[in-house]
Amino acid sequence: MKFGHFDDDNREYVITNPATPWPWINYLGNKDFFSLISNTAGGYAFYKDAKFRRLTRYRYNNVPMDSGGRYFYIKDDKTIWSPGWKPCKTKLDQYECRHGMNYTKIKGEKDGVSAEALFFVPLNTHAEVQKLSLTNNTKSSKNLKLFSFTEWALWNAVADMENFQRNFSTGEVEIDGSTLYHKTEYKERRNHFAFYSVNTPIDGYDTDRESFMGLYNGFHEPQVVLEGQAKMSTAHGWSPIASHYIEVDLQPGETKDFIFTLGYVENDEDNKWESKGVINKDKANEIIAKFNTSDKVDAALAELRTYWDDLLSNYTVNTGHEKLDRMVNIWNQYQCMITFCFSRSASFFESGIGRGMGFRDSNQDLIGFVHQIPDRARERIIDIASTQFPDGSCYHQYQPLTKKGNNDIGSGFNDDPMWLILGTTAYIKETGDWSILDEQVPYDNDESLAQPLFHHLTVSFDHVVNNLGPHGLPLIGRADWNDCLNLNCFSRDPNESFQTTENKTEGSKAESLMIAGLFVVYGREYVEVCRKLGKNEEAERAQQHVDNMVRSVKAHGWDGDWFLRAYDFFGNKIGSQENDEGQIFIESNGWCSMAGIGIEDGLVEKALNSVKEKLDCEYGIVLNNPAYTKYYIEYGEISTYPKGYKENAGIFCHNNPWIIIGETILGRGDQAWEYFRKICPAYLEDISELHKTEPYVYAQMIAGKDAFKPGEAKNSWLTGTASWNFYTISQYILGIRPDYDGLIIDPCIPADWRSFEATRKFRGATFKIRVTNPNGVNKGVKRLSIDGEEVEGGNMIPLLPKGHYTVEVELG
Ligand code: BGC
């Protein structure tokens, strides 16, 4: 069952039934000021950091679901309704929500009045702009009462939820004409405030929640709206809100626009006040003035659209497969930008208070994004590397506002350092900017410890080398990529977190085959970087470590039909036929296959065949099998999940691409494509009632074959799935892959695809690429020509001056 449809021309998903199986959301803003908005206008806004600078309040775990947001209430005689259906839930005559690239339009119609609300954060603006257009489609005049509503958060989203003995007394507001200011804590240590403004004189306002709402009323029945009269309340403590009241007369056929601006301002210490106790509003007024007419708002939206035209023009395809094209050209790239901005911090599954930017996550997010805005990727790499320790280990997460490592989570995830090599080399391959390696980058955010970024790659590499276990395989530490495989925890206390509790590494033999494969793949990358820099001795040294690792994996990491997953604390096998449960895992088989370990002896083929046989199901490839059915104290969190969910045999979409890339290395294009399609959201639109999350973005997890409800997804939007799938489809299936000295073209496609076209901008040049497959093969470039000239014996487009080029590629 569908709840809407794609509108590819406008790059929108159009929701036509507001009662989606889960709130289907969108993100506004792509730098500094952000908002989340659901298809019923729920959600919240924040500045830079969802934990420390939360502007508006939102309640997770709420009943009903998705309560709180930016709401408009329209009172038309006795009927009260909202354009987004919620919170009033008055039955609408028409409803439509269009989620586009960083904007959302929600339109409702009731009794001949239509209300269309546009929400977006204009480029380089610290505000969410909302344009509400009210139209009277009837033959008689209408006298409507319009109320806006938003609830302020007291800045720190954690304290906002718990420190009530203080919170209920601190709230402060200021009211100035049509602008309602939130200035809690401004008089002491904060130099920022927020405001909610409308571009018309108002007939009333409220800033105190209980006055507006009525203490025992829900969002759907604010007392003020029921009575049709604002109370002109000023908040003193309790819960400050902002609500405008406007009386709107509409003649038949008439439309009126109202522009609301929800903004954030920071003032310098000596410029904080206009007069004693009165905040300096200059910057707020500037923002308000920038968007106070419909023309200005429309122009800002057009600018945002152009910005996205530009971003998405770097890689476009025409494969003849509508669903694939819309994912590659629009939604997958869009999701990559969103994960780049938010890492795993703020979504309808991530509370915005628990996690900042992940070290491994943000490095992986880069590979789906670097072709769009390389400058921001560069900055990100440096931010991430600055949280590394001199021995190569690193903070698992850092806070976006402070850019400092997060002490609550700490360090010790032994895969983390290797991802820095991925992020950095992906950046250099895209841009050719080798200078990044000379950048002085602090360790542990301490400038006095700064070293060139290249040094960070060396210590990353060496962190694995210096932490090998009894089989010469990498020690796992707290966990590897699979945060839930906690082999050194032995946790008995339900009050402790598997990720942060004491890690009993003393005497541990816990080794990871996943890190082993990862090390071979990115260790080779490191070797290549050294060679390119002429550091041949270092390249030799590193190559030896890589070769040793390959030997160790072959000697101690092969289980007969697939790669083992790990050795536990005591040195027992995990992911082996010897185990009762969890006999085979996806991660080690993915990474050792990507590394091609034992490919010459058929190990990769065998491993991937086993994955197909044991882990594949209707909805994707599950993480492990058989699922764990009891708690294994020596494995940790993985065995706490019910079978089929999350890391315990769920389809963890992030890691499916590792198998897909492995398949392309073997040249099995049909298999690669089948796996790709299974988890690709646009292909799941028809089963939205089961899949549950948005059909336009990937979810972190789909319940696996052992689950109670296979096929049901959770945790959409902020997942490494976005970048890995884009990387896989663009670079390995369609096969257009940036490299240091050119653009490699090496597709691996289903045999029955006869052709496809792509446009790729690369280092200033634009390539129009046409791939034909007359003989129906999966892989193998027979001929490649550029502007009619054949490139001898290769599948690489060399670096070329700026300009447009036509590239013909024939497979066979
Ligand atoms: C985390 C990743 C982790 C994955 C698997 C995700 O929620 O963000 O860092 O690799 O789970 O455990």
Side-chain angles (χ1 to χ4, degrees):
M1 182 184 167
K2 297 212 263 185
F3 293 79
H5 58 267
F6 286 93
D7 175 351
D8 295 339
D9 291 341
N10 285 308
R11 299 198 194 110
E12 291 170 340
Y13 191 81
V14 189
I15 300 163
T16 49
N17 177 352
T20 46
W22 191 255
W24 284 1
I25 73 162
N26 193 14
Y27 286 84
L28 313 179
N30 52 45
K31 205 167 180 257
D32 299 342
F33 190 103
F34 301 106
S35 297
L36 280 66
I37 183 165
S38 71
N39 59 304
T40 59
Y44 58 93
F46 60 94
Y47 176 75
K48 280 193 183 170
D49 193 312
K51 179 173 175 180
F52 291 129
R53 285 289 185 283
R54 187 74 66 101
L55 302 192
T56 62
R57 199 174 262 172
Y58 187 76
R59 291 165 185 78
Y60 292 90
N61 268 337
N62 210 341
V63 178
M65 183 60 198
D66 188 22
S67 291
R70 67 289 271 158
Y71 290 140
F72 294 117
Y73 298 91
I74 296 164
K75 189 165 162 65
D76 180 1
D77 197 10
K78 294 208 163 45
T79 308
I80 297 170
W81 60 283
S82 296
W85 181 54
K86 268 175 75 78
C88 300
K89 280 175 66 184
T90 306
K91 194 173 171 347
L92 299 176
D93 301 330
Q94 230 201 321
Y95 159 89
E96 186 183 87
C97 165
R98 289 178 172 263
H99 284 318
M101 306 286 103
N102 282 153
Y103 68 86
T104 287
K105 287 179 181 168
I106 298 179
K107 187 175 169 184
E109 217 176 302
K110 183 74 189 166
D111 299 338
V113 174
S114 88
E116 181 167 357
L118 160 73
F119 303 90
F120 72 116
V121 175
L123 293 172
N124 306 313
T125 302
H126 294 169
E128 175 183 316
V129 170
Q130 310 164 348
K131 184 176 95 175
L132 178 72
S133 309
L134 294 178
T135 305
N136 177 2
N137 297 316
T138 69
K139 297 214 159 49
S140 36
S141 60
K142 286 268 186 188
N143 308 108
L144 308 173
K145 294 179 172 193
L146 170 67
F147 298 86
S148 70
F149 171 81
T150 197
E151 183 179 7
W152 302 114
L154 304 181
W155 306 115
N156 180 325
V158 181
D160 188 54
M161 282 193 305
E162 54 186 32
N163 196 4
F164 301 117
Q165 58 82 27
R166 171 177 164 83
N167 293 354
F168 286 169
S169 297
T170 55
E172 283 191 288
V173 298
E174 239 179 72
I175 296 139
D176 183 19
S178 299
T179 308
L180 310 172
Y181 291 89
H182 175 225
K183 58 171 190 179
T184 300
E185 294 183 347
Y186 186 76
K187 71 169 169 302
E188 30 129 338
R189 292 157 300 170
R190 295 189 183 275
N191 65 347
H192 46 263
F193 62 80
F195 64 88
Y196 194 35
S197 179
V198 61
N199 70 336
T200 186
I202 54 177
D203 299 293
Y205 59 82
D206 275 286
T207 64
D208 170 62
R209 190 183 68 194
E210 267 65 77
S211 306
F212 177 78
M213 204 62 83
L215 187 57
Y216 294 105
N217 291 12
F219 287 111
H220 64 292
E221 50 178 4
Q223 196 60 36
V224 156
V225 181
L226 294 178
E227 288 170 14
Q229 186 56 55
K231 291 220 166 79
M232 324 293 272
S233 59
T234 303
H236 297 280
W238 299 110
S239 293
I241 60 155
S243 170
H244 305 95
Y245 166 53
I246 305 166
E247 290 169 4
V248 186
D249 294 330
L250 288 176
Q251 295 312 306
E254 190 184 0
T255 298
K256 278 186 183 160
D257 287 351
F258 301 90
I259 297 158
F260 295 85
T261 314
L262 175 77
Y264 171 87
V265 164
E266 275 176 9
N267 278 334
D268 299 336
E269 197 54 42
D270 21 324
N271 241 330
K272 278 178 78 163
W273 305 101
E274 186 182 301
S275 57
K276 188 162 185 345
V278 180
I279 56 180
N280 176 350
K281 304 182 180 71
D282 291 351
K283 287 187 183 170
N285 287 329
E286 261 171 50
I287 300 179
I288 293 166
K290 256 179 109 174
F291 304 103
N292 60 359
T293 68
S294 295
D295 285 348
K296 291 183 192 173
V297 171
D298 294 346
L301 181 68
E303 216 188 317
L304 180 68
R305 279 185 187 272
T306 310
Y307 170 83
W308 273 102
D309 287 344
D310 193 42
L311 281 187
L312 294 176
S313 69
N314 290 311
Y315 192 117
T316 58
V317 292
N318 176 3
T319 64
H321 297 262
E322 192 188 37
K323 294 176 184 174
L324 175 65
D325 290 356
R326 70 166 59 110
M327 286 310 299
V328 175
N329 295 338
I330 306 169
W331 291 100
N332 197 177
Q333 294 202 57
Y334 181 57
Q335 190 181 1
C336 286
M337 166 68 129
I338 301 299
T339 53
F340 170 80
C341 291
F342 295 93
S343 192
R344 309 294 172 263
S345 65
S347 75
F348 272 34
F349 296 86
E350 304 279 7
S351 63
I353 56 177
R355 306 213 262 176
M357 314 294 283
F359 192 97
R360 74 157 84 91
D361 293 337
S362 292
N363 272 303
Q364 293 173 77
D365 291 344
L366 265 167
I367 64 176
F369 164 82
V370 60
H371 65 291
Q372 293 186 346
I373 314 186
D375 288 353
R376 287 181 67 189
R378 191 182 207 275
E379 186 188 336
R380 176 63 55 80
I381 291 167
I382 295 184
D383 289 347
I384 298 172
S386 307
T387 64
Q388 190 169 29
F389 295 107
D391 72 348
S393 62
C394 32
Y395 277 109
H396 198 46
Q397 286 163 16
Y398 71 94
Q399 282 308 128
L401 190 70
T402 60
K403 296 190 174 177
K404 294 251 163 62
N406 192 336
N407 263 321
D408 298 345
I409 315 286
S411 169
F413 295 79
N414 282 354
D415 64 313
D416 272 341
M418 288 315 289
W419 300 109
L420 184 63
I421 302 182
L422 165 69
T424 309
T425 53
Y427 169 78
I428 300 174
K429 286 177 182 177
E430 181 65 38
T431 59
D433 173 18
W434 289 90
S435 75
I436 191 172
L437 293 177
D438 302 327
E439 244 359 280
Q440 288 288 324
V441 181
Y443 282 105
D444 194 10
N445 288 105
D446 180 345
E447 290 291 344
S448 72
L449 300 176
Q451 290 276 2
L453 180 63
F454 177 78
H455 192 265
H456 287 253
L457 301 194
T458 309
V459 297
S460 294
F461 180 89
D462 282 339
H463 189 263
V464 173
V465 174
N466 295 335
N467 289 282
L468 296 178
H471 299 99
L473 296 166
L475 289 168
I476 199 166
R478 249 182 209 298
D480 59 24
W481 170 87
N482 187 336
D483 272 343
C484 299
L485 191 63
N486 317 115
L487 305 182
N488 298 313
C489 262
F490 298 93
S491 177
R492 288 190 190 281
D493 179 358
N495 297 322
E496 65 191 16
S497 146
F498 287 98
Q499 265 81 54
T500 55
T501 186
E502 189 206 340
N503 210 14
K504 304 171 183 69
T505 42
E506 192 62 34
S508 170
K509 298 179 181 160
E511 296 171 303
S512 162
L513 265 301
M514 185 263 161
I515 305 182
L518 188 71
F519 177 77
V520 174
V521 173
Y522 298 119
R524 288 195 191 121
E525 288 284 353
Y526 176 68
V527 170
E528 197 178 351
V529 167
C530 293
R531 291 215 193 281
K532 293 264 175 216
L533 295 174
K535 298 179 189 283
N536 289 328
E537 239 172 77
E538 174 64 358
E540 283 305 313
R541 179 187 78 90
Q543 184 64 50
Q544 275 176 24
H545 288 296
V546 172
D547 294 344
N548 290 344
M549 189 64 75
V550 170
R551 272 193 291 275
S552 303
V553 172
K554 283 184 176 173
H556 306 291
W558 182 247
D559 194 54
D561 286 312
W562 55 80
F563 294 99
L564 289 175
R565 176 61 177 88
Y567 285 94
D568 70 12
F569 181 93
F570 309 102
N572 299 321
K573 292 176 184 170
I574 300 178
S576 159
Q577 339 227 6
E578 287 174 16
N579 301 117
D580 293 334
E581 301 186 323
Q583 293 176 338
I584 171 169
F585 280 71
I586 198 169
E587 306 99 318
S588 49
N589 285 293
W591 280 100
C592 293
S593 295
M594 283 164 76
I597 297 175
I599 197 167
E600 62 290 350
D601 305 322
L603 300 197
V604 172
E605 197 180 340
K606 260 196 191 169
L608 293 182
N609 290 347
S610 301
V611 166
K612 168 86 190 144
E613 188 194 326
K614 309 249 177 210
L615 299 181
D616 184 30
C617 75
E618 189 183 346
Y619 302 107
I621 312 168
V622 302
L623 189 143
N624 59 319
N625 231 246
Y628 294 118
T629 55
K630 57 174 193 176
Y631 179 45
Y632 292 79
I633 192 169
E634 68 277 28
Y635 300 166
E637 187 171 357
I638 188 169
S639 59
T640 65
Y641 286 111
K643 60 186 171 127
Y645 290 97
K646 291 277 286 172
E647 280 88 341
N648 185 16
I651 298 155
F652 214 94
C653 300
H654 184 146
N655 56 37
N656 277 225
W658 301 341
I659 298 297
I660 303 176
I661 295 176
E663 290 289 349
T664 66
I665 288 170
L666 287 183
R668 303 201 292 200
D670 290 285
Q671 187 57 70
W673 172 242
E674 188 198 312
Y675 284 146
F676 179 84
R677 223 185 29 200
K678 273 188 185 173
I679 60 166
C680 183
Y683 285 87
L684 305 171
E685 191 191 10
D686 288 335
I687 54 162
S688 287
E689 77 290 358
L690 168 67
H691 185 70
K692 218 168 175 151
T693 58
E694 298 89 339
Y696 41 93
V697 288
Y698 283 96
Q700 178 210 53
M701 194 230 26
I702 302 173
K705 59 189 164 111
D706 309 287
F708 172 70
K709 206 177 195 189
E712 184 185 70
K714 287 184 187 131
N715 203 352
S716 54
W717 282 100
L718 303 184
T719 159
T721 311
S723 56
W724 274 104
N725 275 286
F726 184 71
Y727 182 73
T728 301
I729 186 71
S730 62
Q731 301 203 19
Y732 288 88
I733 295 180
L734 301 171
I736 302 172
R737 186 152 70 239
D739 208 344
Y740 299 112
D741 304 317
L743 195 58
I744 296 173
I745 313 287
D746 191 16
C748 182
I749 54 176
D752 64 4
W753 283 22
R754 282 295 172 263
S755 66
F756 71 86
E757 283 162 13
T759 303
R760 178 66 155 95
K761 293 187 185 162
F762 182 64
R763 311 254 190 115
T766 303
F767 300 101
K768 264 196 137 10
I769 304 163
R770 182 175 161 77
V771 176
T772 52
N773 185 19
N775 301 322
V777 299
N778 286 132
K779 191 177 178 175
V781 170
K782 193 165 153 196
R783 220 171 273 130
L784 188 153
S785 66
I786 303 168
D787 287 345
E789 291 230 4
E790 199 156 316
V791 176
E792 275 309 306
N795 59 359
M796 188 192 274
I797 304 173
L799 298 178
L800 292 171
K802 280 195 174 47
H804 285 77
Y805 302 90
T806 305
V807 181
E808 295 280 341
V809 181
E810 189 185 319
L811 305 184

